[in-house]
């Protein structure tokens, strides 16, 4: 009989799970530009997430201090390149408040109109690109078709396709071209008539709903803790919109048309639904502004400014409901022709910090769905 030998094999630490650190970005197909996510994984599940920012930092706030009040507008409209007109607007509103300057009525309504058209342009980009990140390629083609229609009228009025440079301290660069309002009304109607593509093709897609429903739910408490704003906050039930709650421009007279879109689920699907419904409402607001402009008598669209524009000594704060959320502008003046300090509070900066709350506990496969649903622009984060 052959003797048998028993051997005990110890697997030791290999039987225990081992955390792995995974870098997503800063140059990676699943990130919106040069954002880096440092993920700690336990298998396929995310344990910790840290957004690492600063790869696109251009020092815009420091450059504000070396440019006069006319020149800083060109710096301000570039951090969120999808919301250039709205970015310009916040800066000129802060300077006008510091100067105690009243803007002509025609300029106020035109600014409101262009801000809402810019909102639609911003939202269309995400309405098309978000399904693309989840594997649906068709919606982005429709989104860019509609963007081109609106960009044509924005380019006609300002001369720029993305960086409009149409705002000025005291109003606008110039009056609207002859016949432009009719062409803008036609563009709004054309885009509205085809928006059912996103209602049916995207929201009606069971794969899209399966990838987004119940994924990445953000609580109202986390919204307040991280300073999240805009459609992302309203998708979590935080019912706040500066256009209604602290009206600026002509929004005080548009309360019957303005609809603040909210949801309560706070997941990726709710965020997309808020963005889509808000786009519908922005088109309605644009029509209301066009109606009001048609009723106004011809008049100036800006104020005459001195050759050297100096803001009085002091400080002020202006904030606007930008397409991606609340933008704030804290302006400090020492009475010179350049700001002593202009601090920019951008929506995307606060919004992506919520990733540290959203990603832990989720699967890596859901990371892209959650990341894309925060609808941010990296330049708006890094400034």
């Amino acid at each position: 009989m052959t003797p048998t030998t028993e051997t005990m094999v110890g697997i030791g630490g290999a039987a225990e799970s081992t955390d792995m650190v995974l870098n997503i970005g800063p140059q990676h197909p699943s990130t919106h530009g040069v954002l880096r996510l440092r993920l700690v994984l336990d298998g396929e599940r995310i344990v910790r997430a840290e957004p690492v920012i600063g790869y696109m930092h251009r020092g815009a706030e420091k450059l504000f201090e070396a440019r006069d009040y006319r020149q800083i507008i060109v710096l301000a409209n570039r951090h969120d390149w999808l919301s250039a007109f709205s970015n310009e607007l916040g800066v000129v509103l802060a300077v006008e408040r510091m100067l105690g300057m009243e803007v002509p009525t025609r300029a106020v309504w035109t600014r409101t109109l262009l801000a809402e058209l810019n909102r639609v342009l911003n939202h269309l980009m995400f309405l098309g690109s978000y399904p693309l990140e989840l594997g649906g390629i068709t919606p982005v083609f429709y989104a860019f078709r509609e963007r081109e229609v609106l960009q044509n009228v924005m380019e006609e009025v300002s001369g720029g396709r993305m960086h409009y440079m149409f705002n000025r301290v005291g109003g606008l660069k110039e009056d609207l071209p002859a016949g432009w309002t009719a062409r803008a009304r036609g563009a709004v109607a054309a885009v509205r008539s085809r928006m059912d593509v996103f209602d049916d093709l995207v929201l009606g897609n069971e794969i899209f709903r399966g990838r987004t429903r119940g994924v990445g739910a953000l609580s109202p408490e986390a919204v307040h803790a991280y300073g999240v704003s805009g459609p992302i906050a309203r998708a979590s039930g935080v019912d706040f919109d500066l256009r209604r709650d602290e009206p600026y421009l002509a929004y005080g007279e548009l309360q019957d048309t303005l609809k603040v879109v909210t949801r309560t689920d706070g997941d990726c699907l709710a965020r997309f639904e808020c963005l889509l419904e808000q786009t519908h409402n922005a088109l309605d607001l644009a029509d209301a502004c066009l109606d009001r402009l048609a009723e106004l008598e011809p008049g100036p669209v800006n104020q005459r400014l001195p050759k050297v524009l100096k803001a009085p000594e002091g400080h002020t704060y202006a904030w606007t409901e930008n397409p991606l959320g609340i933008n704030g502008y804290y302006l400090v003046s020492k009475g010179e022709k350049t700001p002593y300090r202009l601090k920019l509070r951008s929506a995307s900066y606060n919004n992506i910090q919520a990733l540290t709350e959203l990603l832990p506990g989720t699967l890596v496969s859901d990371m892209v769905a959650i990341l894309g649903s925060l609808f941010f622009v990296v330049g708006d984060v890094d400034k």
Side-chain angles (χ1 to χ4, degrees):
M1 181 178 176
T2 305
T4 59
T5 304
E6 293 183 359
T7 304
M8 295 289 292
V9 179
I11 57 176
E16 301 173 9
S17 62
T18 304
D19 286 347
M20 179 177 71
V21 177
L22 179 66
N23 280 296
I24 305 292
Q27 299 284 3
H28 191 279
S30 70
T31 62
H32 289 214
V34 280
L35 173 71
R36 175 184 166 206
L37 292 177
R38 186 178 182 276
L39 307 179
V40 178
L41 307 180
D42 180 3
E44 286 292 307
R45 200 164 292 278
I46 298 171
V47 179
R48 289 194 303 279
E50 177 191 0
V52 183
I53 65 173
Y55 293 94
M56 285 190 68
H57 181 57
R58 292 160 291 174
E61 291 181 352
K62 197 65 183 172
L63 290 171
F64 286 149
E65 300 171 15
R67 305 289 189 276
D68 67 34
Y69 288 105
R70 292 179 174 90
Q71 295 170 331
I72 59 176
I73 301 171
V74 76
L75 296 170
N77 76 6
R78 279 164 165 75
H79 55 90
D80 175 2
W81 44 79
L82 297 178
S83 311
F85 185 87
S86 301
N87 299 338
E88 300 170 12
L89 190 58
V91 170
V92 297
L93 288 175
V95 178
E96 288 161 3
R97 179 174 294 181
M98 192 74 124
L99 293 167
M101 182 180 289
E102 188 172 339
V103 176
T105 303
R106 189 170 182 80
V108 171
W109 280 96
T110 305
R111 280 177 171 181
T112 311
L113 165 63
L114 296 175
E116 290 306 311
L117 292 179
N118 193 193
R119 192 181 308 276
V120 177
L121 280 169
N122 174 289
H123 290 357
L124 280 171
M125 174 63 79
F126 291 108
L127 292 174
S129 66
Y130 185 48
L132 179 65
E133 293 169 355
L134 300 181
I137 192 172
T138 309
V140 74
F141 295 115
Y142 289 108
F144 269 82
R145 179 185 66 182
E146 311 314 332
R147 276 176 54 84
E148 284 299 312
V149 172
L150 291 177
Q151 277 192 304
N152 287 340
V153 295
M154 293 291 281
E155 184 177 10
E156 182 188 354
V157 75
S158 67
R161 281 184 62 78
M162 289 186 69
H163 305 304
Y164 306 109
M165 277 303 296
F166 196 57
N167 278 289
R168 295 291 187 273
V169 176
L172 296 168
K173 175 188 172 187
E174 57 197 10
D175 206 348
L176 302 173
W180 182 86
T181 53
R183 291 187 288 276
R185 194 183 293 276
V188 170
V191 172
R192 181 188 286 109
S193 69
R194 297 191 289 253
M195 284 298 292
D196 60 340
V197 166
F198 302 100
D199 292 299
D200 302 334
L201 184 65
V202 182
L203 283 181
N205 186 291
E206 61 183 38
I207 298 175
F208 178 82
R209 299 185 76 87
R211 289 292 307 276
T212 55
R213 186 192 288 114
V215 175
L218 184 65
S219 68
E221 292 76 20
V223 167
H224 293 302
Y226 287 95
V228 174
S229 60
I232 303 169
R234 292 191 283 272
S236 295
V238 178
D239 187 5
F240 182 74
D241 190 313
L242 282 175
R243 296 173 298 168
R244 179 198 63 195
D245 301 322
E246 194 173 311
Y248 59 99
L249 294 182
Y251 290 114
E253 300 180 49
L254 291 169
Q255 297 301 303
D256 291 340
T257 307
L258 176 64
K259 178 183 178 184
V260 179
V261 183
T262 60
R263 293 290 187 277
T264 55
D265 293 337
D267 57 7
C268 295
L269 181 60
R271 290 190 277 273
F272 187 86
E273 287 176 341
C274 276
L275 202 73
L276 178 55
E277 197 169 334
Q278 190 167 284
T279 307
H280 284 287
N281 186 239
L283 292 169
D284 293 339
L285 287 167
D287 267 341
C289 291
L290 286 166
D291 291 341
R292 186 71 176 90
L293 281 170
E295 298 169 359
L296 292 176
E297 295 293 330
V301 293
N302 48 41
Q303 297 274 23
R304 285 187 63 88
L305 298 177
K307 194 167 185 179
V308 177
L309 180 63
K310 294 184 179 181
E313 189 170 348
H315 60 92
T316 192
Y317 184 77
W319 55 348
T320 58
E321 187 68 43
N322 268 37
L324 298 181
I326 292 174
N327 272 26
Y329 305 84
Y330 179 59
L331 174 62
V332 182
S333 172
K334 289 294 184 72
E336 301 297 330
K337 65 178 182 179
T338 62
Y340 177 75
R341 182 80 169 93
L342 180 52
K343 175 73 176 80
L344 170 62
R345 187 264 192 216
S346 61
S348 297
Y349 179 82
N350 285 72
N351 289 357
I352 71 153
Q353 303 307 313
L355 287 169
T356 59
E357 182 93 11
L358 282 174
L359 291 179
T362 63
L363 297 172
V364 176
S365 57
D366 289 329
M367 183 271 297
V368 178
I370 296 170
L371 182 67
S373 73
L374 292 189
F375 311 130
F376 62 90
V377 171
V378 178
D380 200 41
V381 176
D382 290 346
K383 303 190 287 290

